């Protein structure tokens, strides 16, 4: 139930933001045709944009599910001290040491 509500909020929020963008382009065209100065967007277009953005953000948090704990202690409790310093992604065997070794010896 929550997933469907979240997805519908995301879709509605995106549609509202797109409508606000279209309305702002239409408003700008109206000002050009009537040769009025541009003094900013009307309040209703700004409110549409903010409400649509907030709806989409709330819907995304509903779709995302449960958040993980951000404290590092929960992940570090399962690891040993030996595995903390051992990071295989930092192993690099194609370096200049081989060329320097052949020059020195």
């Amino acid at each position: 139930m929550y997933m469907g509500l979240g997805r519908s909020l995301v879709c509605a929020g995106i549609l509202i933001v797109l409508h606000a963008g279209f309305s702002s382009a239409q408003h700008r065209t109206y000002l050009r045709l009537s040769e009025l100065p541009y003094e900013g967007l009307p309040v209703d277009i700004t409110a549409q944009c903010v409400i649509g953005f907030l709806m989409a953000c709330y819907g995304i948090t509903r779709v995302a599910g449960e958040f993980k704990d951000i404290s590092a202690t929960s992940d570090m409790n399962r690891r040993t001290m030996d595995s903390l310093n051992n990071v295989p992604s930092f192993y690099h065997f194609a370096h200049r040491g081989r060329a320097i070794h052949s020059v020195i010896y």
Side-chain angles (χ1 to χ4, degrees):
M1 178 179 154
Y2 293 118
M3 189 76 71
L5 175 67
R7 286 184 180 164
S8 63
L9 282 174
V10 170
C11 290
I14 290 173
L15 288 175
I16 290 173
V17 169
L18 288 175
H19 183 266
F22 181 72
S23 297
S24 66
Q26 228 177 7
H27 177 71
R28 185 76 175 185
T29 303
Y30 166 73
L31 290 177
R32 283 188 190 145
L33 290 175
S34 61
E35 296 178 355
L36 294 173
Y38 179 74
E39 297 175 356
L41 288 175
V43 177
D44 61 336
I45 295 175
T46 307
Q48 273 185 11
C49 192
V50 170
I51 289 170
F53 175 73
L54 292 176
M55 280 178 65
C57 286
Y58 182 72
I60 287 171
T61 58
R62 301 296 290 182
V63 170
E66 292 294 321
F67 292 114
K68 284 188 169 183
D69 188 22
I70 66 172
S71 66
T73 57
S74 63
D75 187 39
M76 298 306 255
N77 287 339
R78 295 180 299 231
R79 298 181 71 182
T80 63
M81 284 301 286
D82 295 331
S83 69
L84 290 177
N85 293 329
N86 186 14
V87 183
S89 62
F90 288 130
Y91 294 168
H92 187 65
F93 296 108
H95 51 77
R96 288 181 256 165
R98 197 176 309 162
I100 293 173
H101 180 64
S102 65
V103 171
I104 292 175
Y105 296 109

